[in-house]
Amino acid sequence: MKYKRILLKLSGEALMGEKSYGIDPERLQQYTREIKKVHDMGVEVAIVIGGGNIFRGVQAEQSGIDRVQGDYMGMLATLINAMALQSALEQGGMYTRLMSGIKIESVCEPFIRRRAIRHLEKGRIVIFGAGIGNPYFTTDSTASLRAIEVEADIVLKGTRVDGVYTADPEKDPTATKYKTISFHEVYEKNLNVMDMTAFTLCQENNLPIIVFDMNVSGNLSSLVQGEEIGTLITS
Ligand code: UDP
């Protein structure tokens, strides 16, 4: 196994599937199957899930809601997704723990680094909900930070695009994909991998990132075995 402990970042939008809002149960089942495959291989799995399918802080300002308030609403949205994922994973026979950046004691544990590591060592899948717990951050930043804290080997950013391209492949048909690229080059070329806070955290802590298509069955399990899928970003 190339990666023993992974931090899988899933966007909230990906959970929508073909829908325009909320959670697509089929997509949830598909992700559960993919995660189970790597878990069964003995990989320790931590997950950060976004909330963009329900609410984003920046949307709040457009509808007259205070930005900070909106960010907290966004964090709560990530928890809704996290709870759905937790339930799906448990139905799939996996042991899980949901740890939150905001204290919501009836539903989940607060994030405690040492406890999170212990859960992972015991083979429990740990989902980090409610982001970092602070406004003006994103779940990408949460993924980078938590990955560093729990000493994950890599951040695996599962998206609907199969890697980092020279330009947006959905807009520019001549765009080509990078197999590997350095942090420096991503920065220099102004490529969109993650927001800058998230990206810089990985760069400064030598934490590699792989951007890959989570919707292709088998991608995640092939990746952890060292197959070259998506785009690897390293120092
Ligand atoms: N958010 C926040 N602090 C955090 C994580 C998330 O304020 O540490 C808020 C922010 O408003 C963000 C929303 O939660 O827009 C949902 O997360 P994100 O946009 O990262 O979700 P994704 O794009 O991955 O679906």
Side-chain angles (χ1 to χ4, degrees), residues 115-130:
R115 192 179 274 180
I117 292 174
R118 191 78 194 115
H119 287 324
L120 290 168
E121 286 169 351
K122 286 190 170 174
R124 295 170 185 145
I125 295 178
V126 180
I127 308 170
F128 298 118

Side-chain angles (χ1 to χ4, degrees), residues 1-167:
M1 215 63 61
K2 179 143 191 208
Y3 305 110
K4 179 89 187 61
R5 181 176 292 167
I6 60 169
L7 187 305
L8 176 65
K9 163 73 206 313
L10 300 171
S11 79
E13 258 173 15
L15 263 196
M16 287 195 302
E18 301 306 315
K19 295 165 61 153
S20 56
Y21 180 84
I23 300 168
D24 174 7
E26 254 174 56
R27 185 54 60 81
L28 200 57
Q29 288 311 316
Q30 184 204 337
Y31 284 179
T32 301
R33 285 193 296 273
E34 299 307 313
I35 293 164
K36 188 169 167 49
K37 276 185 218 161
V38 291
H39 183 254
D40 287 350
M41 289 154 86
V43 176
E44 294 175 8
V45 185
I47 304 171
V48 168
I49 186 148
N53 55 326
I54 301 171
F55 201 82
R56 282 206 175 98
V58 281
Q59 291 168 350
E61 282 181 321
Q62 291 148 20
S63 43
I65 299 170
D66 174 71
R67 167 68 196 268
V68 173
Q69 183 86 337
D71 277 341
Y72 280 110
M73 290 166 73
M75 287 183 250
L76 294 179
T78 73
L79 261 185
I80 291 175
N81 287 334
M83 288 171 72
L85 184 62
Q86 178 178 37
S87 177
L89 293 174
E90 284 182 343
Q91 277 165 24
M94 288 160 270
Y95 290 99
T96 68
R97 290 290 186 275
L98 172 55
M99 302 191 110
S100 172
I102 299 176
K103 269 195 192 167
I104 304 188
E105 284 160 13
S106 330
V107 178
C108 44
E109 298 178 12
F111 171 70
I112 297 169
R113 176 179 169 262
R114 285 169 191 275
R115 192 179 274 180
I117 292 174
R118 191 78 194 115
H119 287 324
L120 290 168
E121 286 169 351
K122 286 190 170 174
R124 295 170 185 145
I125 295 178
V126 180
I127 308 170
F128 298 118
I132 290 164
N134 289 307
Y136 292 103
F137 286 92
T138 62
T139 49
D140 277 353
S141 298
T142 311
S144 307
L145 179 64
R146 295 292 186 243
I148 294 162
E149 288 183 282
V150 302
E151 292 161 14
D153 301 319
I154 191 146
V155 172
L156 300 176
K157 183 168 162 142
T159 66
R160 57 198 170 109
V161 186
D162 64 345
V164 180
Y165 281 74
T166 50

Side-chain angles (χ1 to χ4, degrees), residues 30 34 37-38 212-225 227 229:
Q30 184 204 337
E34 299 307 313
K37 276 185 218 161
V38 291
F212 74 104
D213 189 345
M214 181 68 188
N215 297 334
V216 174
S217 174
N219 261 359
L220 182 62
S221 48
S222 303
L223 262 179
V224 297
Q225 293 177 88
E227 226 177 276
I229 288 169

Side-chain angles (χ1 to χ4, degrees), residues 135-205:
Y136 292 103
F137 286 92
T138 62
T139 49
D140 277 353
S141 298
T142 311
S144 307
L145 179 64
R146 295 292 186 243
I148 294 162
E149 288 183 282
V150 302
E151 292 161 14
D153 301 319
I154 191 146
V155 172
L156 300 176
K157 183 168 162 142
T159 66
R160 57 198 170 109
V161 186
D162 64 345
V164 180
Y165 281 74
T166 50
D168 184 346
E170 286 175 359
K171 289 179 192 147
D172 183 352
T174 65
T176 53
K177 194 180 92 181
Y178 293 100
K179 255 188 165 179
T180 61
I181 187 167
S182 69
F183 285 108
H184 182 68
E185 241 184 307
V186 169
Y187 189 72
E188 219 175 46
K189 296 196 160 88
N190 203 15
L191 299 170
N192 187 19
V193 174
M194 283 177 163
D195 63 81
M196 268 305 144
T197 311
F199 189 74
T200 309
L201 262 177
C202 289
Q203 182 177 22
E204 286 180 349
N205 292 280

